[in-house]
Amino acid sequence: MPSHVSPYLQTVLQNVVDDVVDLLGCVGALVATLENNNSLPARAYSVNLGNFSLQDLETQAGGQSLLGPQAVAYLDDEAFQDNLSVRAIKGGNGQPKVIVSDRLYDLFRPVVNELLSDQIQTLIGIKQVIAIPFFIEDEVVGNLFAASPKEFSKQDVDFLTAFAKQAAIAIQSQRHLGEVQALERIIFELQTNLTANETQILQTIVNAVVSKLGYFGALAAPLESDNKLPFRAYTTKADADNLGELSTFFRQNLVESTTIINVEKPEFQENIAVQAIRGEDGHPG
């Protein structure tokens, strides 16, 4: 997920945590998104602390941010491996899972020490905390947390899972918007290079696919009149040395201008480029 959060996404995430607190009677709720660097920063939170304020608790915690944007867990940092957020994302056997704990310390560790976390938990009357990973298809993209003055029932977990799905849908919408905007920039770049030759235009396209859309590599092979697909332009995030090592390993230049796919030859019929050209029922796809 990109580090930038659009106003639309921020509003949806805030509505999610507000609803968790207002409708389920939770003491607090928080959404953290999984970023490209494997960090989990808090994006939105809501609390109902009775006679206390969040500032009171953060003052007691020595000025440490408990729920704001500075509250970040790190998936790859050994110090955070027992953190509730990291445990939920990593799950069991590599599969993210819902985790319920009777200790607020599991949510705050290692940022807030055990004694202080226990004191805060007693002070505001938290019975349990829960972390619910949410997904776009099979990709985990964040966690929804809630702290409750009672044990979570199955119905509570079902409701929280539904709220978490709302967060995932909003993140997916932001991704789609980002892709559309990236494509618009690609089109603009092409329009400014209409006087360039075909190879330059193709190179502009593959460069934009990698740099703007975040793909590892891209390649363009136009279909020639002799039913051949020569590689005209490519780019990749792999450096030249790594690409050379791969070519040596496979004993084949993988993405050279001399690489040509022949649509008519039997040995190329299972090639993905040929399958895309032929498509189904003679319709490329």
Side-chain angles (χ1 to χ4, degrees):
M1 155 134 194
S3 58
H4 171 71
V5 174
S6 69
Y8 161 76
L9 178 56
Q10 187 63 54
T11 298
V12 173
L13 297 182
Q14 190 60 52
N15 288 341
V16 165
V17 292
D18 287 343
D19 286 345
V20 168
V21 171
D22 295 340
L23 300 180
L24 296 185
C26 289
V27 174
L30 180 147
V31 168
T33 56
L34 181 59
E35 303 297 315
N36 294 331
N37 63 355
N38 278 346
S39 66
L40 285 156
R43 292 300 189 184
Y45 69 87
S46 183
V47 293
N48 182 4
L49 303 175
N51 296 326
F52 299 95
S53 69
L54 181 59
Q55 185 176 1
D56 292 335
L57 300 183
E58 291 182 337
T59 299
Q60 189 168 342
Q64 175 64 50
S65 177
L66 301 178
L67 301 175
Q70 291 75 36
V72 184
Y74 297 93
L75 220 58
D76 300 327
D77 189 331
E78 189 63 33
F80 285 85
Q81 296 313 296
D82 291 324
N83 180 278
L84 195 69
S85 182
V86 173
R87 287 166 54 202
I89 292 291
K90 292 194 170 183
N93 299 321
Q95 297 298 316
K97 65 178 182 178
V98 174
I99 296 183
V100 178
S101 174
D102 293 330
R103 301 198 65 193
L104 182 64
Y105 175 57
D106 287 336
L107 179 59
F108 287 157
R109 66 195 304 171
V111 177
V112 180
N113 68 54
E114 185 173 6
L115 177 60
L116 186 54
S117 296
D118 289 345
Q119 290 174 344
I120 292 174
Q121 180 172 354
T122 301
L123 192 65
I124 57 180
I126 292 175
K127 179 69 175 177
Q128 283 188 333
V129 292
I130 189 172
I132 298 183
F134 50 85
F135 306 82
I136 295 176
E137 296 178 351
D138 294 328
E139 176 193 2
V140 61
V141 292
N143 268 329
L144 171 64
F145 310 95
S148 175
K150 59 182 180 64
E151 292 185 358
F152 290 102
S153 66
K154 182 181 181 305
Q155 185 178 42
D156 291 334
V157 175
D158 289 342
F159 276 124
L160 288 166
T161 301
F163 285 128
K165 287 180 180 177
Q166 289 183 28
I169 291 170
I171 291 172
Q172 187 174 38
S173 295
Q174 172 164 305
R175 284 186 176 182
H176 287 164
L177 177 61
E179 289 171 356
V180 169
Q181 291 172 336
L183 288 172
E184 288 175 346
R185 289 192 292 271
I186 291 173
I187 293 170
F188 176 77
E189 288 183 22
L190 289 176
Q191 289 174 334
T192 60
N193 287 283
L194 285 179
T195 58
N197 63 37
E198 180 188 69
T199 300
Q200 289 175 318
I201 292 173
L202 293 176
Q203 192 63 52
T204 299
I205 292 173
V206 295
N207 288 345
V209 167
V210 172
S211 64
K212 300 293 196 305
L213 299 183
Y215 286 91
F216 180 79
L219 181 150
L223 181 62
E224 305 289 345
S225 58
D226 58 358
N227 278 341
K228 292 181 180 179
L229 289 160
F231 290 2
R232 295 298 190 203
Y234 74 90
T235 191
T236 174
K237 290 182 179 178
D239 59 37
D241 290 340
N242 289 336
L243 200 57
E245 288 175 6
L246 287 173
S247 295
T248 300
F249 179 81
F250 288 108
R251 299 180 181 179
Q252 172 68 46
N253 290 329
L254 299 180
V255 283
E256 295 293 334
S257 58
T258 54
T259 304
I260 298 175
I261 295 171
N262 193 317
V263 176
E264 302 297 337
K265 286 189 175 181
E267 61 264 34
F268 286 98
Q269 296 314 297
E270 299 301 320
N271 183 281
I272 191 172
V274 175
Q275 291 184 42
I277 293 291
R278 293 192 179 279
E280 296 183 4
D281 300 324
H283 298 288

